[in-house]
Amino acid sequence: MNKQAQANTLHCDLLVVGSGAGGLATAVTAARLGLKVVVAEKEAEFGGTTAWSGGWLWVPRNPLAIAAGIDEDPALPRQYLRSELGEDFNPALADAYLSHAPRMVDFFQRHSLLRFIDGNQIPDFHGHSAGAATGGRSVCAAPFDGRQLGAHIHQLKKPLDVISLWGMGIASGVELRHFLNASRSLTSFAYVTRRVLGYWRDCLLHGRGMRLVNGNALAAALAASALQAGVELRLSSPLRQLLREQGKVNGAVLDTPDGPLTVHCSRGVVLACGGFPHDVARKRQLLDHAPTGQEHWSAAPASNTGDGLRLGEAVGGVMGKVASPMALAPVSLAPRADGSNAHFPHLIERAKPGLIAVTANGQRFCNEADSYHDFVSALLRATPAGQQPQAWLVADHRFVRRYGLGAVKPAPVPLGRWLRNGYLQRAHTLQELARRCGIDPAALAQQVARFNQQAEAGQDSDFAKGDTPYNRVQGDKDNAWPNPCMAPLQHGPFYAVKIVPGSLGSFAGLATNASAQVLDAQQQPITGLYAVGNDMHSMMGGHYPSGGITLGPAMTFGYLAAHHAAGRQPDTTL
């Protein structure tokens, strides 16, 4: 082999394509099992969608819950999945997940820098389904000191700008409540002051915040663990082609800054490219509400364009069938200074008291406090054929300054620029606001009057807002009205933000078995090819039963894929 060929060739045991939680979990596990691992990332930064996420994983019977005395019957989470997924329930994948997800959490607690905090008070989305739990099934990445990444910290994707505060991530739960209460509580004000001053100090010393939280902490801890275990991380190296010999995938070609690189990998390739939320052709094919492929605004990184799926199909992989191709979420288009629009996912404020969502007819169409996936599903059902699905979140002045509204932050952060750029609409009366937004003015006034009466009584007789544990935990327990998710809209001026269908990522992916091996059209595994994360057909079958059902399976099936590639049984004896 000549020197040029050697320079353009790399040998390893396992190539992982993508640096989100699924890919990095695979890499860390495989490296700890003794494999030589290379991670190739399309972007110049690592972390993928994970780095912008909340960092939550749905893991029933996880070690943190067990330690807290929440030792539920193993049959209950399985019953919940069967109830939620219906005919899309896959027993093999569900049993593998429920069995190995707790072991995965234990593995990373013991063999990596990643630590978890519990979400023992977080309920499942659908509290009336059989087997639903009011807590004990969630874990989240603990805050992580970015300095442990050394110089690699500057290659970590930063938190999504429109969600963060000046680029500073805010942890969900107690920390978020402190930020929402900063103008009403001296304790919260002091906490927020310390956090903000610490963030600006880090920016001066290190160029970015070093106290990482949520998905940023998850991506950072996994990456630091991978580097510690000897994993080679190659950035700006998108996947061009999979190599196959005698029916086995044994390599790939990457496009790198130095030209094409051929990677020969004895144990195979793991596709973890983030699915297809920005693949216009695939969206046009699968989404009824996006006839041109453009009418869907995902909050996932723009680089997630279905590369892994297309190349997996090229070597015989097939896409699985799902109830919904996307993990739906309502999105607002927030103008940036450079003229582009950020896709802001509305995940939190919809359940707070004093907000309603209406379509152009001025009518509510769903329980605003339900999950983001359910919210958009309801919007799509409520939209007449041939019309563009869109709605408005409407609130009064008290609400906006207390909780914020989309990209608009609560007091004392000014909201003037959002009014000037048209993202936030404001008017002194509901009728005037309706006219500014193209909503039926009389209908909106009547709808608000009806909602206000229900809020005062504490009972939403139209859509049962606040009726489930998930609704209530997302609301405000300090609400002065009877229902933690409802308050009258009565103190003008009034505000509105337009929302459109979007997603947090895709559900439709390559069909796999319980070891994350990609299956062909005959349901036989393609030797040497694995898919995890959003490149893997969602084991939830396109349903969204609880928060964390993307990252939980991504890391668990990455853990299982690594064991299979290493020829090891998945256990905790390492």
Side-chain angles (χ1 to χ4, degrees):
M1 182 181 294
N2 60 44
K3 292 184 178 180
Q4 180 63 35
Q6 289 178 330
N8 295 329
T9 303
L10 180 67
H11 292 267
C12 64
D13 294 318
L14 191 68
L15 172 65
V16 178
V17 187
S19 64
L24 290 175
T26 309
V28 172
T29 307
R32 291 298 181 191
L33 293 173
L35 300 188
K36 180 181 179 182
V37 184
V38 172
V39 173
E41 168 55 48
K42 181 179 185 178
E43 295 194 74
E45 300 172 314
F46 65 84
T49 309
T50 299
W52 286 355
S53 74
W56 287 97
L57 291 73
W58 189 74
V59 182
R61 295 184 52 77
N62 66 77
L64 284 74
I66 298 295
I70 305 174
D71 190 1
E72 66 175 327
D73 185 338
L76 289 176
R78 192 178 196 276
Q79 180 187 31
Y80 183 60
L81 288 183
R82 181 175 284 280
S83 173
E84 286 284 294
L85 308 190
E87 63 182 17
D88 297 308
F89 179 78
N90 184 318
L93 293 182
D95 290 343
Y97 181 68
L98 294 173
S99 172
H100 293 293
R103 298 178 184 179
M104 176 274 295
V105 170
D106 180 72
F107 178 92
F108 282 98
Q109 293 257 92
R110 293 189 298 112
H111 298 297
S112 80
L113 298 172
L114 176 61
R115 297 294 178 266
F116 293 99
I117 55 176
D118 73 73
N120 288 340
Q121 304 302 313
I122 297 178
D124 290 324
F125 281 170
H126 303 130
H128 298 307
S129 292
T134 57
R137 294 178 177 175
S138 300
V139 296
C140 185
F144 185 76
D145 185 350
R147 290 172 295 184
Q148 294 190 69
L149 270 169
H152 292 284
I153 183 63
H154 299 293
Q155 297 171 331
L156 171 66
K157 188 187 295 291
K158 293 181 179 180
L160 185 59
D161 54 354
V162 289
I163 291 181
S164 63
L165 181 64
W166 306 308
M168 177 180 65
I170 300 173
S172 55
V174 173
E175 183 164 286
L176 177 59
R177 286 195 291 273
H178 276 308
F179 274 83
L180 291 176
N181 289 330
S183 62
R184 305 194 308 163
S185 161
L186 286 176
T187 300
S188 293
F189 178 81
Y191 179 91
V192 169
T193 299
R194 290 194 301 272
R195 281 284 286 115
V196 170
L197 290 176
Y199 171 72
W200 289 116
R201 179 197 62 216
D202 284 345
C203 288
L204 287 172
L205 294 176
H206 306 288
R208 62 161 293 163
M210 289 292 155
R211 183 181 182 273
L212 311 180
V213 297
N214 303 333
N216 221 237
L218 178 59
L222 287 171
S225 302
L227 293 166
Q228 186 183 73
V231 173
E232 181 178 348
L233 178 61
R234 287 180 167 261
L235 302 178
S236 302
S237 300
L239 177 66
R240 176 199 290 184
Q241 179 185 359
L242 292 172
L243 304 178
R244 197 176 186 189
E245 185 176 350
Q246 296 180 343
K248 177 184 178 180
V249 173
N250 63 351
V253 179
L254 306 176
D255 284 326
T256 77
D258 299 319
L261 174 69
T262 299
V263 182
H264 298 288
C265 33
S266 60
R267 304 299 179 96
V269 176
V270 182
L271 299 174
C273 305
F276 67 95
H278 294 285
D279 181 346
V280 174
R282 187 86 68 175
K283 289 190 293 180
R284 184 170 61 243
Q285 174 189 358
L286 295 179
L287 300 179
D288 292 338
H289 67 272
T292 72
Q294 302 285 356
E295 301 87 352
H296 181 90
W297 292 267
S298 179
S303 61
N304 292 5
T305 54
D307 303 353
L309 304 183
R310 287 191 300 275
L311 293 172
E313 288 175 315
V315 296
V318 295
M319 296 282 284
K321 295 182 179 180
V322 289
S324 170
M326 292 290 183
L328 297 170
V331 163
S332 56
L333 305 180
R336 290 191 172 108
D338 63 3
S340 66
N341 284 324
H343 299 174
F344 185 97
H346 291 256
L347 309 182
I348 297 173
E349 87 272 44
R350 292 174 294 101
K352 298 295 187 282
L355 171 146
I356 62 171
V358 299
T359 55
N361 64 10
Q363 301 297 310
R364 294 173 68 209
F365 57 91
C366 72
N367 176 349
E368 296 91 347
D370 277 348
S371 78
Y372 30 91
H373 185 80
D374 292 345
F375 182 94
V376 177
S377 298
L379 174 59
L380 296 176
R381 290 193 299 269
T383 302
Q387 292 188 18
Q388 180 182 357
Q390 58 185 22
W392 287 262
L393 299 180
V394 179
D396 65 8
H397 187 75
R398 179 202 63 84
F399 182 97
V400 172
R401 301 319 285 149
R402 172 77 177 88
Y403 305 110
L405 186 62
V408 181
K409 301 298 188 289
V413 180
L415 47 76
R417 75 180 180 106
W418 300 111
L419 292 167
R420 290 190 295 272
N421 65 28
Y423 173 80
L424 181 67
Q425 297 296 321
R426 179 174 67 182
H428 290 291
T429 68
L430 288 166
Q431 290 87 345
E432 182 186 352
L433 181 70
R435 284 188 286 270
R436 291 179 65 90
C437 297
I439 302 171
D440 183 321
L444 178 61
Q446 292 170 2
Q447 176 66 89
V448 170
R450 176 176 175 80
F451 181 82
N452 287 352
Q453 290 178 342
Q454 295 176 335
E456 291 170 359
Q459 183 67 44
D460 179 8
S461 57
D462 295 329
F463 296 103
K465 189 173 186 177
D467 193 44
T468 65
Y470 174 75
N471 279 185
R472 293 190 290 273
V473 79
Q474 293 289 103
D476 186 346
K477 62 182 179 59
D478 297 324
N479 184 26
W481 301 92
N483 188 322
C485 300
M486 298 180 73
L489 285 70
Q490 55 189 187
H491 301 293
F494 299 95
Y495 299 84
V497 166
K498 184 168 78 171
I499 52 175
V500 291
S503 62
L504 303 180
S506 51
F507 276 152
L510 296 167
T512 70
N513 62 17
S515 296
Q517 290 179 284
V518 175
L519 303 177
D520 63 19
Q522 288 73 45
Q523 296 295 292
Q524 296 302 308
I526 299 173
T527 304
L529 185 62
Y530 304 85
V532 300
N534 288 349
D535 279 357
M536 173 185 172
H537 170 71
S538 171
M539 63 156 285
M540 301 297 170
H543 301 267
Y544 217 132
S546 197
I549 54 87
T550 298
L551 289 177
M555 290 188 62
T556 300
F557 286 102
Y559 165 85
L560 291 172
H563 277 85
H564 187 275
R568 297 278 294 272
Q569 289 297 315
D571 55 34
T572 56
T573 60
L574 183 66

